[in-house]
Structure formats: structure tokens, C-alpha cells
Amino acid sequence: MKKRIVCLMATCLLGVSLLAGCGSSSDTTGADTSAQDQTSEDSGNKTIEKLNVAFVPSKDPDEIITATEPLKDMLKTELGKEGYDVGEVDITVGTSYEAVGEALSAGTADVGLIPGGTYVLYDDGCDVLLTATRDGLNKDSDNAKDWNDGKPTEKTADQVVSYRALIIAGPSEKGQELAEKVNNGEELTWDDLNSANWSVMNSTSPAGYIYPALWLQDNYGKGITDLEHTVQSDSYGSAMARLASGQVDIVLAYADVRNDYVDQWNSEYGRTGSIWDTTETDVIGVTPAIYNDTVSVSKNSPIMTDDFKEALSNAFINIGNTDEGKEVIAIYSHTGYKPAKSSDYDNERKAQELIQELNAQ
């Protein structure tokens, strides 16, 4: 009951909409269960008539559908090697993150590529199989000062399953005041932070809201809702533009956000110095690690046996190990997949509980 209340609260906050293409998913019924028990005379494999895969709408749905079209045949091929002949792979994009979580819980989607936060909110109805990997960064310190060496934060060949959120101060007078204290090894006080203007993202954003809220709670016993001066940005681009102009002193963002806006910092946002200069941006806080997106499966899908879950895991891992597969999953900035377990997302659970408590106040 507590889990359902949390899910309903989150749904009220975020706005629930139905999963696009749910009607086409209605074929996921008992008929598939009998189909799975059938054995192909040609291959000796078990048969799955239809596999419903749902993606969250983190980008334009048409763009996602186009980019992931090759995934259908890739999954069929790899699952065939694992002992399952799949007749049809149906890929849909949910109208919201919550819609995909609801579809997994209902069993109308068999597989969902969803963020950790969505998985945690709906883990009574779905299991996590895999965590997506991404390129690592050459900085990963808990100490904010270590990020402020004036050099770019560069990607490495290492594949990692988590990333950091950063609290970044900009070139404004207040931003530089806070950065100077951090770079001198001084501790920031709550009054220091509360006197600044903050750009935050939507309350569902792990890097732009949730994990920084957890950082504030852990270090100051406060939350984002306790800050006196906040503005919500609709994108990281608008947040960085506000930071550059001095409209805000602090932004909340993922660890390599400056890589993504290094050119715009000068060409569009009007700054003359490099975004990496310590007189332009400085890290003043580093959050705990945020685990990457998941490949999760429905607990209520009739085709989702333990053997088939293992086959799916192997299929996604194998796809992520090929150049063609990497090209497809790059739409979500995934570079591959590694096995995951529920406890990997305990920090996410803690963060979600904190957000619910703060929003209930």
C-alpha cells in the first residue's frame, strides 16, 4: 500500500498519460504463454509470438522510433541464439515516463528502457535486468575542488554504470564568491547557498533536482524547496544560458554538462572566456553516484519467465557489444549493458522518498 501511495503521489506530481500504442500491446495475453511452450520444428527453439518493448520519451518519439527500428531484427537474431524464436517485436514510445512504468506494471509492455527513478517508483510491477553503460569521465571525485583545475572534463574509454550530478557556480559575483571558498578549502554554509540564485530542473530530473536535493539534505538538513531563490529551467541549455548571463549563480546538472555546452558558452551565450576557466564555472558540490538507465521487465507479463529474462539479458548485452548495436542504443547515450540488481538503486529509492516528503510539505 505504501508503495502504491508513493507511485500515485509521483503520478499526481508529474502528470499521468496513457502509453502510446497500448492498444497494440493488448496481444500480450495468455495466448503468448501457450505460444512460449511451443517448440519450433525447424530450430528446436521455444516460440514467442510477440515481444512488446517500450521506451521513455526522453527525445522526440518519432526520432526514437526511427533510430530503434533496427533493434527489432537484432533482438530476434540474438534471442534466436538464446533459444527463442520471436515472431514480432513491437517498439513503442510512451507518452510519459510514468506511462511506461504503468505499462510494465500492467503487463501490456514486456520490456521497458527506463531511468532508475522510474524503475524505483514501479518496482512492485517490474524487475531490473540491466544497467546501461556510458563513457566514463576523467574526474569522479567526491571533492568539488578536484573538478576545478581549469581543464576539460574528458570522456575516457572506461565504461561505467553511474554518473554524478554537479552543483556548478557561474561567473556572477555571488557564484565566484562561493567558488573561491570551495577552492580555498572552506566549507560552504547554508546561508552561503541560500543567498544565491539557483536554476533547477523539473522535480523528476535525477541530475537537475533529485540528487542535488539529496546532497542538500545530507549536508545541510535542507531541501531545494527551502531555498529562497530558485527558478525552474526547461532544459539544460536554458539553464547554462542563465548561468552565463548571471541571471542565476548556480545550476544543477549532470557531470559532463560543460562538455555539451562548451561551444555555446561563447558562440551563443556571449562569454569570452572558456567554460573551463575557473573564473567562468566552478564545481561547488558533487552528489552521490546516480545509476544509469535500466532495461527492466514486467513482473506481470505472461512471457517473462526466468529463462526468458536470462535470454533477454544476454541479447541486450550482445547487441551492445556490436558496432551496429551501439549505433542504435546511442539514441539514449547508452554504450552497452551490464547485469544489474535491485539494490544498485537504493540511493535512488532514498532520493525518491526524500522528494516525496519535501513535496508533501
Side-chain angles (χ1 to χ4, degrees), residues 130-246:
L130 303 168
T131 297
T133 62
R134 63 174 67 204
D135 293 332
L137 299 175
N138 63 347
K139 297 170 188 171
D140 190 38
S141 174
D142 292 312
N143 187 347
K145 182 180 178 181
D146 294 340
W147 296 72
N148 301 332
D149 57 5
K151 299 177 182 178
T153 301
E154 298 177 335
K155 293 185 178 182
T156 70
D158 296 333
Q159 296 302 292
V160 297
V161 295
S162 64
Y163 64 101
R164 305 282 193 147
L166 301 179
I167 296 87
I168 302 174
S172 67
E173 182 178 352
K174 174 59 68 171
Q176 288 298 291
E177 174 189 322
L178 300 179
E180 184 178 1
K181 290 189 70 172
V182 168
N183 291 332
N184 287 337
E186 300 176 47
E187 294 288 338
L188 295 176
T189 67
W190 171 252
D191 288 340
D192 288 331
L193 297 175
N194 196 35
S195 64
N197 294 313
W198 292 59
S199 167
V200 305
M201 301 299 286
N202 183 279
S203 61
T204 64
S205 171
Y209 194 103
I210 296 173
Y211 274 73
L214 185 62
W215 179 83
L216 285 171
Q217 183 68 33
D218 287 344
N219 289 282
Y220 301 96
K222 303 282 188 177
I224 287 176
T225 53
D226 294 309
L227 293 166
E228 293 182 5
H229 311 289
T230 61
V231 60
Q232 183 175 312
S233 295
D234 59 3
S235 69
Y236 285 112
S238 63
M240 296 302 286
R242 283 175 167 150
L243 190 70
S245 69

Side-chain angles (χ1 to χ4, degrees), residues 39-70:
T39 301
S40 169
E41 294 181 1
D42 295 332
S43 65
N45 288 351
K46 293 180 179 179
T47 301
I48 300 291
E49 290 185 359
K50 188 176 184 179
L51 178 67
N52 295 296
V53 181
F55 286 79
V56 295
S58 60
K59 294 191 176 181
D60 180 77
D62 290 338
E63 183 181 355
I64 295 171
I65 290 294
T66 300
T68 59
E69 178 66 25

Side-chain angles (χ1 to χ4, degrees), residues 97-338:
Y97 289 35
E98 297 71 47
V100 179
E102 291 288 351
L104 288 169
S105 293
T108 53
D110 305 308
V111 184
L113 281 82
I114 57 177
T118 307
Y119 158 66
V120 165
L121 287 175
Y122 293 93
D123 63 359
D124 56 347
C126 62
D127 289 317
V128 61
L129 291 187
L130 303 168
T131 297
T133 62
R134 63 174 67 204
D135 293 332
L137 299 175
N138 63 347
K139 297 170 188 171
D140 190 38
S141 174
D142 292 312
N143 187 347
K145 182 180 178 181
D146 294 340
W147 296 72
N148 301 332
D149 57 5
K151 299 177 182 178
T153 301
E154 298 177 335
K155 293 185 178 182
T156 70
D158 296 333
Q159 296 302 292
V160 297
V161 295
S162 64
Y163 64 101
R164 305 282 193 147
L166 301 179
I167 296 87
I168 302 174
S172 67
E173 182 178 352
K174 174 59 68 171
Q176 288 298 291
E177 174 189 322
L178 300 179
E180 184 178 1
K181 290 189 70 172
V182 168
N183 291 332
N184 287 337
E186 300 176 47
E187 294 288 338
L188 295 176
T189 67
W190 171 252
D191 288 340
D192 288 331
L193 297 175
N194 196 35
S195 64
N197 294 313
W198 292 59
S199 167
V200 305
M201 301 299 286
N202 183 279
S203 61
T204 64
S205 171
Y209 194 103
I210 296 173
Y211 274 73
L214 185 62
W215 179 83
L216 285 171
Q217 183 68 33
D218 287 344
N219 289 282
Y220 301 96
K222 303 282 188 177
I224 287 176
T225 53
D226 294 309
L227 293 166
E228 293 182 5
H229 311 289
T230 61
V231 60
Q232 183 175 312
S233 295
D234 59 3
S235 69
Y236 285 112
S238 63
M240 296 302 286
R242 283 175 167 150
L243 190 70
S245 69
Q247 293 179 39
V248 298
D249 309 303
I250 295 171
V251 297
L252 308 177
Y254 52 95
D256 51 340
V257 68
R258 291 180 291 180
N259 296 64
D260 290 345
Y261 293 95
V262 63
D263 293 331
Q264 291 94 319
W265 190 255
N266 304 122
S267 63
E268 295 182 24
Y269 305 156
R271 301 300 302 178
T272 56
S274 167
I275 198 173
W276 302 108
D277 292 345
T278 56
T279 54
E280 295 290 302
T281 63
D282 291 87
V283 177
I284 62 172
V286 184
T287 74
I290 306 170
Y291 264 74
N292 293 341
D293 293 346
T294 76
V295 177
S296 295
V297 295
S298 173
K299 290 181 179 180
N300 297 310
S301 164
I303 67 173
M304 206 54 64
T305 64
D306 288 342
D307 285 345
F308 189 51
K309 284 192 284 188
E310 182 178 358
L312 269 174
S313 294
N314 293 338
F316 271 100
I317 289 172
N318 291 339
I319 288 170
N321 285 334
T322 67
D323 291 338
E324 296 82 1
K326 288 183 187 299
E327 184 175 349
V328 170
I329 62 179
I331 187 70
Y332 280 100
S333 299
H334 299 175
T335 57
Y337 300 98
K338 291 185 178 180

